Amino acid sequence: VNSEGKVKMKLSLPDVQYDLRPGIVEFRAGHPDLALLPATGVLQATQVVLEREASQALSYGAEQGPGCLIKQLCAWLEHVEGERPPLTQVMITGGASQALDMICMLLTEPGDIALVQSPTYHLALRVMRDHHLELLPVPSDDEGLRVDALEETLTLLQRRGRQPCMLYLVSTFNNPSGITLTLERRNALAELAQHYNLIVVEDDVYYKLWYDTPPPPSIYSLTPSGSAIRLGSFSKILAPGLRLGWMLATPKIVQRCMKSGVLDSGGGLGHFTAHVVAAFIELGLLDQQIKTLRATYRERRNVLVGALKDHLPKECHWLTPQGGFFVWLRLAQGMDSTAFLQTAEDAGVSYIPGARFFADGGGDNYCRLNFTMLSLDEIEQGAHRLGKVLYNYL
Ligand SMILES: Cc1ncc(COP(=O)(O)O)c(C=O)c1O
């Protein structure tokens, strides 16, 4: 309040979404390592675009995404996964979140039932809730989504005359559990989807970030009937600020999305950025970047699971994730990770409480720990602090 009695407020306009609090080891983040964001490569790619194709790159873009990126992406997917998607089955998106939002907007109606894996990416649940979908959870175990439970749910819904609008799952290196759906279950799910005419939305943003062995083929590639939609993103393998990703789906779904009013009016999403990413791939920088990320994150994952083993009470449990960004930690039975968070933060360590990743409650004694954004020392320090407060509590 100044001398004239007026209230002056300092407006805080943050630049970025994360909030790194001094003195706290932030296991709660879900971001790539800031130091590994490839500024030099993006600069190099941008220069190529502006010198070579400025007028195309700075124009309104084609609704499907620019041909230069679609072609680069298909060739790159063939090179890393062994299968080249047909050009008609690819669409450039504003990241996986925007793609999910677009799918909900164009392929669902408010009040529709969406089946969601439990646990699953908490912010995808928010996107689906924005579209007023009724979320019905399907449980998972150590092999990923329980396809037997899915079949029971589908049978029950069919008896009631309800057709779910989709199943959403993070099939590979799940956020938050780190678990990958086994090949056997992928095949079973593909069959079930075909039988029940179920659209499977496979959010696959971590697929390329494997640390031990490559994951099994995507559900999309195992579902020739075309009932699967696969979402990819440059957020985790290149930079989230680019807001760019892709979707693989039947030509019919791609066409439906391309014909949306917003793309008709404004042209393809992230058009300039898409040119830059195409040049980035063309320069061979994406493979190089992923190689660096995998080596760095593998080491961080190893340090985190080692430190948890050294510092946490024996009542805690976790599986070593084979890729992705997270360790899914189960605390002692009966502990409430939401209530415990304040105690942990007072001791200088943070996480996301497990309950956020369940559409229907549950997961109370779980915590999601991120290891990609922290240095090896921070990871060690964070596990040490967490262990100390857990021992005190127990
Ligand atoms: C499973 C999953 N899907 C989607 C996203 C967000 O992807 P994008 O940045 O491409 O919107 C995340 C980010 O944390 C994620 O973990």
Side-chain angles (χ1 to χ4, degrees), residues 158-227:
Q158 197 174 50
R159 255 188 247 140
R160 291 184 189 159
R162 300 285 311 262
Q163 168 72 19
C165 60
M166 63 168 150
L167 162 73
Y168 169 86
L169 82 164
V170 184
S171 48
T172 309
F173 314 132
N174 177 279
N175 177 359
S177 72
I179 287 170
T180 294
L181 190 69
T182 60
L183 178 59
E184 202 184 349
R185 288 203 190 169
R186 284 171 193 244
N187 279 316
L189 175 55
E191 242 177 67
L192 207 61
Q194 189 156 356
H195 184 261
Y196 282 89
N197 207 11
L198 174 70
I199 294 179
V200 176
V201 178
E202 179 180 31
D203 184 341
D204 223 0
V205 301
Y206 298 106
Y207 193 86
K208 312 289 181 299
L209 294 175
W210 52 269
Y211 308 136
D212 303 310
T213 48
S218 66
I219 299 163
Y220 172 81
S221 69
L222 297 170
T223 317
S225 68
S227 46

Side-chain angles (χ1 to χ4, degrees), residues 11-273:
L11 268 183
S12 151
L13 292 175
D15 265 336
V16 291
Q17 210 179 24
Y18 54 79
D19 174 20
L20 300 177
R21 295 164 295 175
I24 297 192
V25 175
E26 300 280 16
F27 281 130
R28 69 181 174 151
H31 299 256
D33 186 324
L34 303 182
L36 294 179
L37 294 172
T40 313
V42 171
L43 183 65
Q44 208 182 329
T46 308
Q47 191 152 6
V48 168
V49 168
L50 289 175
E51 283 173 4
R52 188 178 67 186
E53 59 211 30
S55 63
Q56 290 103 306
L58 294 168
S59 300
Y60 280 113
E63 291 87 345
Q64 191 182 353
C68 61
L69 179 58
I70 293 178
K71 282 188 215 140
Q72 282 293 345
L73 180 64
C74 289
W76 181 72
L77 286 173
E78 182 180 24
H79 151 69
V80 290
E81 294 181 7
E83 220 171 294
R84 183 188 287 245
L87 299 175
T88 52
Q89 298 192 16
V90 185
M91 180 163 176
I92 302 306
T93 68
S97 314
Q98 184 276 328
L100 179 62
D101 190 64
M102 178 171 63
I103 290 164
C104 291
M105 186 168 64
L106 299 175
L107 305 181
T108 73
E109 300 280 345
D112 278 356
I113 293 176
L115 303 173
V116 292
Q117 179 184 18
S118 247
T120 203
Y121 176 44
H122 58 319
L123 302 179
L125 300 177
R126 289 225 37 216
V127 173
M128 288 181 268
R129 286 194 173 116
D130 278 352
H131 292 273
H132 307 287
L133 302 180
E134 186 187 327
L135 306 185
L136 204 60
V138 182
S140 312
D141 59 18
D142 290 356
E143 295 185 7
L145 184 92
R146 278 190 41 213
V147 180
D148 61 326
L150 173 66
E151 187 164 15
E152 272 171 33
T153 307
L154 288 169
T155 315
L156 210 73
L157 287 173
Q158 197 174 50
R159 255 188 247 140
R160 291 184 189 159
R162 300 285 311 262
Q163 168 72 19
C165 60
M166 63 168 150
L167 162 73
Y168 169 86
L169 82 164
V170 184
S171 48
T172 309
F173 314 132
N174 177 279
N175 177 359
S177 72
I179 287 170
T180 294
L181 190 69
T182 60
L183 178 59
E184 202 184 349
R185 288 203 190 169
R186 284 171 193 244
N187 279 316
L189 175 55
E191 242 177 67
L192 207 61
Q194 189 156 356
H195 184 261
Y196 282 89
N197 207 11
L198 174 70
I199 294 179
V200 176
V201 178
E202 179 180 31
D203 184 341
D204 223 0
V205 301
Y206 298 106
Y207 193 86
K208 312 289 181 299
L209 294 175
W210 52 269
Y211 308 136
D212 303 310
T213 48
S218 66
I219 299 163
Y220 172 81
S221 69
L222 297 170
T223 317
S225 68
S227 46
I229 300 175
R230 185 177 182 208
L231 308 182
S233 176
F234 292 106
S235 289
K236 311 296 176 186
I237 54 175
L238 210 167
L242 296 171
R243 304 310 314 132
L244 206 72
W246 66 93
M247 176 177 92
L248 304 180
T250 59
K252 196 170 156 207
I253 291 179
V254 169
Q255 285 291 325
R256 174 66 195 98
C257 293
M258 279 166 59
K259 292 207 163 73
S260 67
V262 68
L263 297 187
D264 200 10
S265 169
L269 292 160
H271 178 66
F272 178 76
T273 313

Side-chain angles (χ1 to χ4, degrees), residues 338-349 351 389-390 392-393:
T338 305
F340 189 67
L341 182 60
Q342 190 58 56
T343 312
E345 291 195 344
D346 290 345
V349 58
Y351 55 78
V389 280
L390 284 171
N392 279 345
Y393 176 88

Side-chain angles (χ1 to χ4, degrees), residues 283-300:
L283 292 167
L285 299 175
L286 188 58
D287 283 335
Q288 218 172 294
Q289 175 70 6
I290 292 176
K291 204 168 154 207
T292 307
L293 294 178
R294 293 218 322 252
T296 311
Y297 295 163
R298 180 188 298 117
E299 190 181 16
R300 291 179 190 184

